[in-house]
């Protein structure tokens, strides 16, 4: 006890301050939504990795080669080199994926040069039936839509998504991503204004193969389901996807002036963020639906189209002493955001 006390007294205020700063800088964690279930895909990958390791250690694969080189067995022409290469590839892929999900191996999250740090914008969901969706036939069968404007802020702060990561953000299934702040929004239903709470989310970018362009993926967690007529916004994790560019110069010709028409008939546009980054003002919304048909995610996630979304400049917040002019500006901005659909 005396030694510990002496060591503590020997620490300078500057050292103690550094320790406290490191504690504060501990990476934030984003808990997985309720009902995420057992990570079956990770379990299958782990089993495949173990099985491949046993196969490699066998007498007809890498284990036999090592034994022959060590002189522990005579040379024989019974080595199955094809199976050795196959098992080595499976072991490397499955093992690396599981270690990445566990956080033991942390891959570089700088997947592209585009950064949305400090970008604040208005993201408006337009939930409803879309062509090609696998949502139940009775869902949004009336043609009704649920429009939900939300204020979203992107940050470069790293967050820990927990085991087993989020494959929908990053094809590698990384456990880490960037922080996204979102408190939710409101829409007008049959009973008046309905508040929809959100608990934030995360985002990541992936290279698209086109110079200066990246795929932007992010999600928002909704603790409680929201409904309007026969349209529901399920509780849980909702995924968004669109395109972003590292600068205005990288944006394809015709997009900035609204001359490009997207497959849904809408005119493409961009929203500029800090540092010159540009984000496509429209994208797709989806949710996961894993069941026995894909072994509850073991064969990859099944994404169901939930609707689409738009991106716009932030709508001015409601002020306690709001003037009629300020209210008119705010309402026009909100109508414009909803009217994009």
């Amino acid at each position: 006890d005396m030694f510990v006390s002496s060591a503590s007294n020997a620490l300078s205020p500057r050292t103690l301050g550094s320790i406290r700063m490191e504690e504060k800088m501990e990476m934030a964690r984003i808990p997985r939504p309720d009902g995420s279930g057992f990570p079956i895909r990770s379990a299958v990958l782990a089993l495949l990795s173990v099985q491949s390791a046993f196969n490699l250690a066998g007498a007809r694969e890498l284990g036999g080669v090592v034994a022959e080189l060590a002189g522990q067995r005579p040379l024989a022409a019974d080595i199955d080199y094809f199976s050795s290469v196959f098992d080595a590839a499976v072991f490397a892929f499955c093992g690396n994926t599981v270690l990445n999900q566990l956080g033991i191996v942390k891959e570089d999250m700088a997947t592209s040069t585009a950064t949305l740090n400090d970008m604040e914008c208005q993201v408006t969901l337009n939930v409803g039936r879309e062509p090609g969706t696998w949502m139940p036939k009775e869902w949004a069968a009336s043609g009704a839509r649920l429009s939900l404007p939300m204020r979203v802020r992107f940050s470069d702060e790293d967050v820990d998504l927990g085991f087993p990561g989020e494959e929908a953000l990053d094809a590698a299934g990384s456990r880490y991503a960037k922080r996204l702040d979102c408190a939710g929004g409101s829409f007008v239903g049959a009973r008046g204004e309905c508040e929809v709470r959100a608990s934030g989310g995360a985002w990541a970018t992936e290279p698209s193969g086109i110079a200066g362009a990246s795929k932007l993926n992010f999600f928002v967690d909704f603790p409680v389901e929201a409904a309007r007529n026969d349209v529901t916004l399920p509780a849980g994790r909702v995924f968004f996807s669109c395109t972003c560019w590292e600068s205005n110069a990288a944006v394809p010709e015709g997009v900035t002036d609204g001359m490009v028409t997207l497959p849904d008939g809408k005119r493409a546009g961009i929203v500029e963020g800090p540092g010159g980054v540009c984000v496509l003002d429209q994208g797709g919304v989806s949710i996961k639906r894993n069941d026995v048909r894909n072994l509850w995610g073991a064969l990859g996630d099944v994404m169901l189209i939930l609707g689409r979304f738009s991106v716009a400049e932030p709508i001015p917040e409601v002020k306690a002493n709001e003037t009629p002019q300020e209210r008119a500006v705010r309402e026009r901005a909100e109508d414009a955001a909803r009217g994009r659909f």
Side-chain angles (χ1 to χ4, degrees):
D1 292 342
M2 183 178 296
F3 175 79
V4 174
S5 177
S6 300
S8 300
N9 292 332
L11 292 175
S12 66
R14 183 175 181 179
T15 304
L16 291 173
S18 300
I19 294 174
R20 294 191 186 100
M21 182 63 69
E22 289 178 1
E23 291 175 351
K24 290 181 180 179
M25 293 178 63
E26 183 179 356
M27 188 178 298
R29 295 177 181 270
I30 297 182
R32 295 185 63 79
D34 294 337
S36 297
F38 182 78
I40 295 180
R41 179 173 183 268
S42 301
V44 171
L45 290 175
L47 289 174
L48 288 174
S49 180
V50 172
Q51 181 62 55
S52 298
F54 275 114
N55 293 343
L56 284 171
R60 295 197 59 196
E61 294 192 17
L62 187 60
V65 174
V66 173
E68 290 178 357
L69 294 176
Q72 297 177 357
R73 54 168 280 183
L75 295 176
D78 62 345
I79 301 298
D80 189 344
Y81 293 101
F82 176 80
S83 296
S84 298
V85 172
F86 177 79
D87 283 323
V90 172
F91 175 74
F93 171 77
C94 296
N96 182 71
T97 301
V98 173
L99 291 176
N100 191 31
Q101 293 175 347
L102 288 169
I104 298 175
V105 174
K106 183 179 179 182
E107 296 182 351
D108 185 10
M109 292 184 293
T111 53
S112 73
T113 56
T115 175
L116 279 69
N117 188 37
D118 289 334
M119 180 174 180
E120 192 168 350
C121 57
Q122 189 78 18
V123 172
T124 303
L125 279 78
N126 179 23
V127 181
R129 197 153 199 93
E130 298 286 339
T133 184
W134 288 359
M135 292 293 286
K137 293 182 178 180
E138 64 276 9
W139 183 83
S142 67
R145 313 290 297 191
L146 190 159
S147 179
L148 179 66
M150 306 183 301
R151 184 180 289 262
V152 169
R153 182 180 180 275
F154 295 87
S155 168
D156 269 354
E157 178 188 345
D158 294 342
V159 291
D160 183 356
L161 303 179
F163 180 77
E166 191 56 81
E167 188 178 3
L169 278 189
D170 179 6
S174 176
R175 175 169 173 161
Y176 304 97
K178 304 293 185 181
R179 177 177 172 177
L180 182 142
D181 295 316
C182 178
S186 64
F187 67 93
V188 178
R191 299 180 180 179
E193 186 175 15
C194 302
E195 295 288 338
V196 181
R197 187 170 62 88
S199 56
W203 67 278
T205 56
E206 296 181 273
S208 65
I210 302 175
S214 302
K215 182 181 179 183
L216 171 62
N217 302 315
F218 62 97
F219 69 75
V220 175
D221 289 331
F222 294 94
V224 181
E225 177 185 273
R228 180 177 182 271
N229 299 337
D230 59 348
V231 182
T232 57
L233 176 63
R237 190 157 285 178
V238 177
F239 298 88
F240 302 73
S241 179
C242 67
T243 304
C244 65
W245 295 270
E246 61 184 21
S247 66
N248 199 296
V251 180
E253 185 178 354
V255 175
T256 53
D257 51 13
M259 297 302 293
V260 175
T261 303
L262 298 176
D264 61 357
K266 300 293 183 181
R267 294 283 186 177
I270 59 171
V271 176
E272 293 193 39
V277 67
C278 297
V279 177
L280 186 67
D281 66 353
Q282 298 172 55
V285 181
S286 58
I287 58 172
K288 286 184 184 180
R289 185 60 54 85
N290 296 327
D291 54 27
V292 66
R293 289 170 290 185
N294 68 328
L295 297 181
W296 293 277
L299 303 179
D301 292 324
V302 172
M303 308 300 292
L304 305 186
I305 301 173
L306 192 68
R308 52 190 186 270
F309 72 95
S310 70
V311 184
E313 296 294 334
I315 295 176
E317 295 182 352
V318 180
K319 299 180 180 179
N321 56 346
E322 190 176 50
T323 65
Q325 292 80 7
E326 290 174 333
R327 179 179 180 181
V329 170
R330 176 177 55 80
E331 290 179 346
R332 281 197 298 269
E334 186 172 347
D335 290 341
R338 295 180 186 273
R340 289 181 180 273
F341 306 109

